[in-house]
Amino acid sequence: MCCVNLSALYCCKGKDKIRIVTSSWNIAGLSPKDENLDEWLHLLEDHHDKLSDVFVVGLQEVPSDPSSLVLDYYIRNDPWTKRLLLFLGTKGIAMVEMVRMMGLLLIVAVKPKHLSHIREIRTTYTKTAFYGLLGTKGAVSIRFNLYGESFCFVNNHFVAGEDYCLQRNNHFQSVMSKTMFPNCESSEIQKHRYNILFGDFNYRIENLEKSNVQELATKSDFKTLISNDQLTINRQKGECFEGYNEFDISFPPTYKYDLNSDAFDTSAKKRTPSYTDRILWKEQTDTGETTLQQSSYSAHMSYKSSDHRPISGEFIVNIPVVLTSTPVIEFRFDDSFIPWTSEEDGVCIFHCKGYQTSSWDWIGLYSLDFKSPKDYYTYEWSVSGADETGQDGCMVLFDDVPEEHGYYMFGYWSRALECVLGFSEPFLVAPEPEPEEPQEVTVESPPEAGANQV
């Protein structure tokens, strides 16, 4: 069978831990620069299997003038989304979903092998500015189930100003109470097994002069700085983020810097440096046993195009069922139908277990560098009423066979569940074999009559 074995990329085997990277950056209304984002996004590993499994990327203050918003929402991806997906896609990471509200952008992407195990993908946004009427401040959220466990990621941007701590606490409470996901079991943030809140919360360092903060930062006395941090103080009082955890901070304040400089704010306002950009997490468990751990928390000081420094955190989740999970849809190959050639219809054979197929489902044909489940070369409608025991397979014909030869793969999309239920291993689309040229046959002339007669 002409099929390359890349199951390590597209089938989940070998470990029961999921690694999650959360990356956040307030980009101050600027367009993407020509800079490498691999460090911030944790994409420096050369080998795909050493990369994290889930990538959560949130931006604040994305350019949001009216004309660009119309184009970005309805016609194209905004420049920052394109830039982020370029870096993720180059490392073989596929987007699950994205959501945007004004200047807030949230993208979740995963290794392709996990796509078949994601269910109930939902997005929403919550406005907090001007009594919840304006979307200039608030949160954008994405939730889903992965291997049966519920995850929720929320990218936030709260009100600015050193004297607005109470309003920031109110913004937090609004996000927690008003964020609702439609048509899913875990409709509220706090009802998810795992939730990670991050972004530009805008809490400031108080009770210290700017010069004192700068001196403490130079001495790496981050403990003293955090003890005067509004978020930390109010969390201890139970005014915000009650029950949430934050990894120890071992980096300088992330705000506010002069653009393209290591100098803290030298403008007329001379803002006090602060830890405005944060990542906090919470795990809901009935037994008290936690399976989520944070393994790193960093500020990336080499990125200087904004007045904020980007931050990131890496998490490890222990989910034993990962080892035994199998996709609902299984694709099988028959030697007589593989490789495909551009001169004949392509044949796809799939089996399903415990799922009722629909003629509104579709099977996508993907190149190996696809950027999301909807980034397919072509598709064909599925068939309804497939054998749910998985014993009998279903055949679907593709009349649009790629002219560009190489390796492709199938992906089954469920219209009812709005997610992928299975991917195939890659297979070859090959050129039509050249017909063999007929060989010349030399036939000797018969001897003349009587030539051999004596």
Side-chain angles (χ1 to χ4, degrees):
M1 179 171 66
C2 297
C3 176
V4 62
N5 183 6
L6 295 181
S7 58
L9 293 180
Y10 302 101
C11 298
C12 196
K13 299 178 181 178
K15 64 175 183 177
D16 60 354
K17 290 180 172 57
I18 298 294
R19 291 167 56 202
I20 302 172
V21 168
T22 300
S23 302
S24 177
W25 194 5
N26 183 321
I27 46 92
L30 302 171
S31 298
K33 307 297 182 184
D34 187 18
E35 56 187 339
N36 191 314
L37 302 179
D38 281 347
E39 178 198 333
W40 170 51
L41 298 175
H42 291 230
L43 296 172
L44 292 175
E45 297 289 352
D46 292 331
H47 298 288
H48 186 83
D49 59 348
K50 293 184 178 180
L51 294 171
S52 292
D53 299 280
V54 180
F55 293 80
V56 183
V57 187
L59 299 179
Q60 305 88 42
E61 294 194 25
V62 177
S64 56
D65 59 277
S67 60
S68 67
L69 277 176
V70 172
L71 291 173
D72 295 343
Y73 276 129
Y74 300 107
I75 299 176
R76 67 184 186 195
N77 282 335
D78 67 271
W80 272 105
T81 299
K82 289 181 179 179
R83 186 74 173 165
L84 293 169
L85 294 183
L86 172 65
F87 279 88
L88 293 167
T90 299
K91 293 300 179 76
I93 307 301
M95 184 177 74
V96 175
E97 189 56 276
M98 64 164 291
V99 60
R100 182 173 175 185
M101 179 185 74
M102 300 292 287
L104 279 168
L105 172 66
L106 176 60
I107 295 173
V108 175
V110 301
K111 286 182 176 177
K113 67 182 181 182
H114 299 301
L115 283 171
S116 302
H117 304 277
I118 296 178
R119 301 289 185 271
E120 291 191 359
I121 305 165
R122 301 290 186 269
T123 68
T124 191
Y125 57 85
T126 308
K127 302 175 183 178
T128 60
F130 197 68
Y131 304 100
L133 298 176
L134 296 180
T136 53
K137 293 292 187 292
V140 288
S141 310
I142 296 177
R143 64 87 55 209
F144 53 78
N145 294 344
L146 176 62
Y147 299 105
E149 299 290 357
S150 58
F151 292 78
C152 180
F153 304 99
V154 186
N155 176 23
N156 304 264
H157 192 191
F158 293 172
V159 63
E162 295 184 7
D163 300 325
Y164 288 91
C165 184
L166 176 61
Q167 286 83 346
R168 286 188 277 274
N169 292 345
N170 291 337
H171 279 201
F172 168 77
Q173 300 298 341
S174 293
V175 169
M176 296 302 295
S177 62
K178 295 180 180 179
T179 299
M180 301 293 292
F181 297 97
N183 304 319
C184 61
E185 183 177 354
S186 303
S187 59
E188 302 173 32
I189 294 174
Q190 57 267 31
K191 290 186 177 180
H192 290 79
R193 175 68 184 270
Y194 309 103
N195 60 75
I196 298 178
L197 275 58
F198 64 96
D200 179 7
F201 296 113
N202 256 319
Y203 286 94
R204 307 304 173 96
I205 290 176
E206 59 185 16
N207 304 322
L208 293 174
E209 297 294 332
K210 179 182 178 183
S211 59
N212 297 134
V213 174
Q214 289 178 309
E215 181 180 359
L216 291 168
T218 302
K219 294 180 178 179
S220 298
D221 188 356
F222 307 127
K223 184 176 181 180
T224 300
L225 293 177
I226 288 300
S227 67
N228 290 276
D229 165 66
Q230 292 176 342
L231 192 156
T232 301
I233 295 170
N234 281 264
R235 183 160 65 96
Q236 293 171 347
K237 291 180 179 179
E239 300 294 334
C240 65
F241 296 96
E242 187 174 7
Y244 278 81
N245 304 283
E246 184 175 25
F247 205 72
D248 290 340
I249 290 179
S250 58
F251 49 82
T254 57
Y255 175 85
K256 173 179 170 58
Y257 293 85
D258 292 342
L259 298 183
N260 303 305
S261 170
D262 288 321
F264 287 112
D265 185 21
T266 60
S267 70
K269 293 185 177 181
K270 291 184 170 56
R271 295 172 182 84
T272 301
S274 296
Y275 292 100
T276 58
D277 310 282
R278 311 287 276 274
I279 302 173
L280 296 98
W281 61 274
K282 187 176 184 179
E283 177 180 354
Q284 302 285 358
T285 172
D286 296 329
T287 63
E289 180 182 357
T290 59
T291 57
L292 174 65
Q293 293 182 334
Q294 188 170 356
S295 56
S296 72
Y297 195 16
S298 306
H300 301 268
M301 308 305 289
S302 62
Y303 295 88
K304 304 176 184 180
S305 55
S306 170
D307 56 356
H308 290 252
R309 295 294 184 260
I311 61 171
S312 67
E314 188 169 45
F315 300 84
I316 299 175
V317 189
N318 185 15
I319 306 180
V321 74
V322 171
L323 293 174
T324 57
S325 294
T326 56
V328 172
I329 301 294
E330 178 187 1
F331 293 92
R332 300 179 186 177
F333 295 96
D334 189 301
D335 290 344
S336 59
F337 301 134
I338 300 293
W340 282 11
T341 63
S342 54
E343 299 300 319
E344 299 179 0
D345 288 349
V347 176
C348 169
I349 300 174
F350 71 89
H351 296 246
C352 70
K353 290 184 180 180
Y355 171 73
Q356 186 174 3
T357 61
S358 165
S359 57
W360 289 105
D361 295 349
W362 48 266
I363 300 171
L365 180 67
Y366 296 86
S367 62
L368 299 191
D369 60 349
F370 70 97
K371 303 299 187 296
S372 77
K374 296 182 181 180
D375 180 25
Y376 48 80
Y377 168 79
T378 187
Y379 71 92
E380 291 290 344
W381 296 109
S382 181
V383 294
S384 60
D387 177 14
E388 296 181 38
T389 67
Q391 298 299 317
D392 298 329
C394 293
M395 179 183 292
V396 174
L397 297 180
F398 280 74
D399 57 10
D400 185 7
V401 176
E403 294 184 1
E404 183 176 346
H405 306 133
Y407 285 97
Y408 293 80
M409 58 193 299
F410 301 122
Y412 191 103
W413 179 268
S414 167
R415 175 72 174 271
L417 300 179
E418 296 184 315
C419 61
V420 174
L421 299 184
F423 279 103
S424 74
E425 289 190 355
F427 66 94
L428 181 63
V429 176
E432 182 74 12
E434 294 289 339
E436 296 184 4
E437 295 184 3
Q439 297 182 353
E440 294 184 3
V441 179
T442 303
V443 180
E444 295 183 0
S445 301
E448 295 181 3
N452 293 326
Q453 296 181 3
V454 178

